[in-house]
Amino acid sequence: MCLITLSFTPDQERHLLLAANRDEFHARPARPMAWWPGSPSVLAGRDEQAGGTWLAVARDGRWAAVTNVRDPRAPRGQRSRGELPLAFFEGGLSPADHARQVQAQRAEYGPFNLLVGDAGSVWFASSHGELTEVAPGVHAVSNGALDAAWPKSTRIAEGLAALQSHPFSAGQALDLMYDTAPGADEALPDTGVGLEMERFLSSPFILSERYGTRCTTVLALGSSSQASERRFDTDGQPVGQLDYGWKA
């Protein structure tokens, strides 16, 4: 994923509402969200090139999602960051312990941000930041620090907060992420890629023939959970949607 916004409410029946966009080269092969082979309690998309995933969720309400960090000077790392979400389910650790383990091993991976959580806690680990327990409330992360005031992150977090005043609608949450408006130049971060690239990457939903938003995923987790994934072609047109529902 390259943009994630979430509302974490551990004291409520629905402990998580999350919406995320995965930005990637269109030529990179991937499979849609499905129950994972060999781990039938885990729902995730699959990166066919490296074998990992960008977001995964289990029937028991545990979940994990990863973004890259925009740092052209950073080494690529020996291991794929797509391993990180899956390892959360394979290892059986708590969100805190998994995040600590990842933070200790972060030099092995390319630049990444990782969010892992369950009904009681959410943790953030990063190649470029400190290990953090995420407080209840609305948060966003893109290709920089957690809750960094990038235009796309701020706008999408505000949108998610507004949605919470209405009954949950997967369609509304998916539509929220289809925002192609760029950020104002004066508000853009300087990540070392130049102003033109910062502009290109500044909208929540990215459009181009070569690289852009490939899918949007929405999770609503509680005693009754839902997951939806909407996929897009190179023109940003929807080409399919999958919807899942289950009880913990």
Side-chain angles (χ1 to χ4, degrees):
M1 315 306 296
C2 285
L3 176 61
I4 302 169
T5 185
L6 64 96
S7 174
F8 176 51
T9 51
D11 58 336
Q12 296 184 20
E13 187 279 331
R14 185 183 69 203
H15 64 264
L16 183 80
L17 176 58
L18 177 149
N21 279 347
R22 180 191 182 226
D23 303 329
E24 184 54 87
F25 289 100
H26 289 291
R28 184 165 179 143
R31 292 186 186 178
M33 174 181 279
W35 297 109
W36 198 261
S39 300
S41 67
V42 176
L43 185 64
R46 182 179 177 89
D47 171 28
E48 292 287 84
Q49 182 168 308
T53 190
W54 50 94
L55 183 150
V57 59
R59 292 182 185 274
D60 63 4
R62 289 158 57 86
W63 63 274
V66 68
T67 77
N68 67 320
V69 172
R70 196 183 308 154
D71 182 356
R73 301 158 299 182
R76 292 176 58 89
Q78 298 178 339
R79 301 172 64 179
S80 169
R81 56 183 160 250
E83 298 175 14
L84 295 170
L86 294 175
F88 178 47
F89 304 99
E90 295 166 353
L93 298 176
S94 68
D97 288 342
H98 182 69
R100 291 188 185 100
Q101 180 174 285
V102 168
Q103 195 79 0
Q105 299 171 342
R106 61 183 179 173
E108 299 177 19
Y109 300 89
F112 72 88
N113 292 320
L114 176 72
L115 286 161
V116 291
D118 60 14
S121 68
V122 176
W123 284 78
F124 175 78
S126 177
S127 60
H128 284 56
E130 299 297 322
L131 181 71
T132 304
E133 183 174 12
V134 180
V138 177
H139 302 273
V141 63
S142 182
N143 310 112
L146 178 68
D147 292 328
W150 291 18
K152 64 196 299 182
S153 303
T154 300
R155 191 158 74 236
I156 222 68
E158 291 173 349
L160 187 73
L163 280 184
Q164 292 188 108
S165 62
H166 306 282
F168 172 70
S169 164
Q172 287 183 340
L174 290 164
D175 291 344
L176 168 71
M177 304 301 288
Y178 197 93
D179 180 347
T180 60
D185 282 0
E186 61 271 18
L188 299 182
D190 181 2
T191 62
V193 298
L195 180 58
E196 287 302 316
M197 185 59 69
E198 297 288 3
R199 287 170 175 161
F200 170 66
L201 298 171
S202 67
S203 58
F205 192 100
I206 297 173
L207 279 170
S208 83
E209 292 184 3
R210 187 163 176 262
Y211 177 93
T213 300
R214 297 273 302 272
C215 70
T216 297
T217 306
V218 168
L219 302 179
L221 305 183
S223 59
S224 180
S225 296
Q226 296 175 243
S228 295
E229 179 188 83
R230 184 179 290 170
R231 303 182 306 283
F232 302 91
D233 63 16
T234 56
D235 294 322
Q237 296 302 305
V239 292
Q241 182 170 321
L242 295 168
D243 298 288
Y244 297 88
W246 68 93
K247 293 187 180 297

